[in-house]
Amino acid sequence: MRITSADIIVTSPTRNFVTLKITTDEGITGLGDATLNGRELAVAAYLRDHVAQLLIGRDPHRIEDTWQYLYRGAYWRRGPVTMAAIAAVDMALWDIKGKAAGLPVYQLLGGASRTGLMTYGHASGRDLPELFDSVRRHIEEGHQAVRIQSSVPGIPALYGVAAQPQASGVRYDHEPAGRGSRPPEEVWNTHAYLHHLPTVFEAVRNEFGPDLPLLHDGHHRMTPIQAAKLGKALEPYDLFWLEDTTPAEHQEAFRLIRHHTTTPLAVGEVFNHAADFRTLLTERLIDYVRAAATHFGGITPLRKIMDTAAEYQIKSGFHGPTDISPVGLAAQAHLGLAIHNFGIQEYMGHSEATHTVFRQSMTFKDGLLHPGDTPGLGVELDEEAAAAHPYQQAYLPCNRLADGTIHDW
């Protein structure tokens, strides 16, 4: 079997996705997710202008060799654009291998280690009654754990809060990227946030009791000592995890955070290489790996980092909002089903328009996500439907302090 074509499809059914479609001389096709939110066309150009022609004539079964060829052969390694492009190739080749074998990808990874994947959903509110209603909805949908995000007095608009208008007038729902030529700007106040958030978790625990697993995303906005302070303040409310407390490239900063709090820590959604996790894993500074197959080079390297994490009793918590296409989410679901040290899967749910473009076998039933038993990844692209949703420039918000200084986001 040989690869005969590699096509890049950019579509925007409520948000932008970049998909690689590889076709073989036996008519088997494979899909890979190359979406990089806010920089989608950079990855599309990387694939179209620099990678696609390198795939023609290659044996699609040689997944590891192709991965190393694209990574080591380019000399300029790593970075989100490069790794998202390689990820798309890797996923597509696993998709082809599964279809050729007549097996879902998780079977090729060693078979299922569980019946399905525990998920968490995104609950949020501008006030406590609205937040409580959101938590109830997510429990009713079947989520066994819930991420808690809340408006903060003194912060006029805050990313992650569903009904709250952003600075540009767009709304955060399940598709939070704002359409337009510039990102919306939000104002941030760490003091107000640190003061308010523990009161939110106290109220949620009082309303829903001690058994519901609760999570929170700090979105890299704190310094290490601020993160330590928050982790300690949240200890009475027994969080499942506290996520992305400080810019994740500063691995050594997590020593300080870990020293001051027993709140479990999750990080890594902006990582794109195993080296980004080295200190965090070997010193047991985190509890959950947040990497996404789409941004980490695909299934192949994500499986390797989870094997390393297992040696340190660290589990998976793969990034899975709607900036991961259904193809990328399926890739992670297959891997999560197979690995022993699975922890939880973020599951936000794509829009109805997205489901008309990406036809999938994934199910969410009885509180568990399952990638399905269709051979390959279990996702097919309707190219006619994709063409009906052309690319639209869109950006996630950026952050400024009250004095106008750009802040971490």
Side-chain angles (χ1 to χ4, degrees), residues 7 28 39 44 73 89 92 127 162 257 285 289 329 393 395:
D7 301 302
I28 300 175
R39 299 294 186 270
V89 176
D127 52 33
I257 302 169
L285 300 179
V289 167
L329 182 61
Q393 193 166 40
Y395 291 98

Side-chain angles (χ1 to χ4, degrees), residues 13-15 17 171-178 322 348-351 354:
T14 59
R15 75 180 305 162
F17 298 111
R171 297 174 69 88
Y172 177 100
D173 47 22
H174 61 281
E175 307 289 359
T322 51
M348 206 170 171
H350 289 93
S351 69
T354 299

Side-chain angles (χ1 to χ4, degrees), residues 129-149:
E130 191 172 87
L131 175 60
F132 293 169
D133 287 344
S134 181
V135 172
R136 292 188 188 97
R137 281 198 307 274
H138 283 84
I139 294 172
E140 290 167 1
E141 289 170 4
H143 293 287
Q144 298 180 42
V146 181
R147 192 185 81 166
I148 302 297
Q149 306 295 131

Side-chain angles (χ1 to χ4, degrees), residues 135-336:
V135 172
R136 292 188 188 97
R137 281 198 307 274
H138 283 84
I139 294 172
E140 290 167 1
E141 289 170 4
H143 293 287
Q144 298 180 42
V146 181
R147 192 185 81 166
I148 302 297
Q149 306 295 131
S150 170
S151 293
V152 174
I155 299 179
L158 186 59
Y159 174 80
V161 178
Q164 181 171 321
Q166 303 298 327
S168 69
V170 300
R171 297 174 69 88
Y172 177 100
D173 47 22
H174 61 281
E175 307 289 359
R179 302 304 171 98
S181 60
R182 295 179 184 273
E185 296 187 0
E186 298 178 346
V187 177
W188 177 250
N189 184 323
T190 307
H191 176 77
Y193 167 76
L194 294 176
H195 178 74
H196 181 68
L197 193 67
T199 69
V200 172
F201 274 88
E202 180 181 25
V204 172
R205 275 287 176 234
N206 288 339
E207 180 72 15
F208 294 96
D211 297 327
L212 178 65
L214 302 177
L215 306 85
H216 179 71
D217 183 1
H219 231 277
H220 311 110
R221 294 182 175 105
M222 289 164 276
T223 65
I225 197 65
Q226 290 168 341
K229 180 179 180 180
L230 179 63
K232 192 170 185 65
L234 293 176
E235 284 178 11
Y237 313 114
D238 190 24
L239 269 64
F240 186 95
W241 80 35
L242 179 59
E243 173 191 345
D244 287 350
T245 55
T246 197
E249 61 266 28
H250 304 306
Q251 296 186 51
E252 67 283 354
F254 282 77
R255 295 172 184 151
L256 186 152
I257 302 169
R258 191 63 131 185
H259 178 73
H260 286 283
T261 181
T262 59
T263 297
L265 302 173
V267 78
E269 70 182 53
V270 299
F271 287 175
N272 53 69
H273 192 271
D276 297 328
F277 280 106
R278 185 178 294 122
T279 300
L280 297 172
L281 298 185
T282 59
E283 297 188 23
R284 291 183 169 90
L285 300 179
I286 61 171
D287 302 277
Y288 295 92
V289 167
R290 286 281 291 141
T294 301
H295 304 137
F296 201 72
I299 294 170
T300 297
L302 193 54
R303 173 61 186 263
K304 293 175 182 177
I305 201 66
M306 291 315 305
D307 285 344
T308 300
E311 298 299 315
Y312 300 95
Q313 298 177 293
I314 296 169
K315 296 183 177 182
S316 70
F318 299 146
H319 184 60
T322 51
D323 63 359
I324 305 295
S325 88
V327 178
L329 182 61
Q332 294 180 171
H334 282 279
L335 181 57

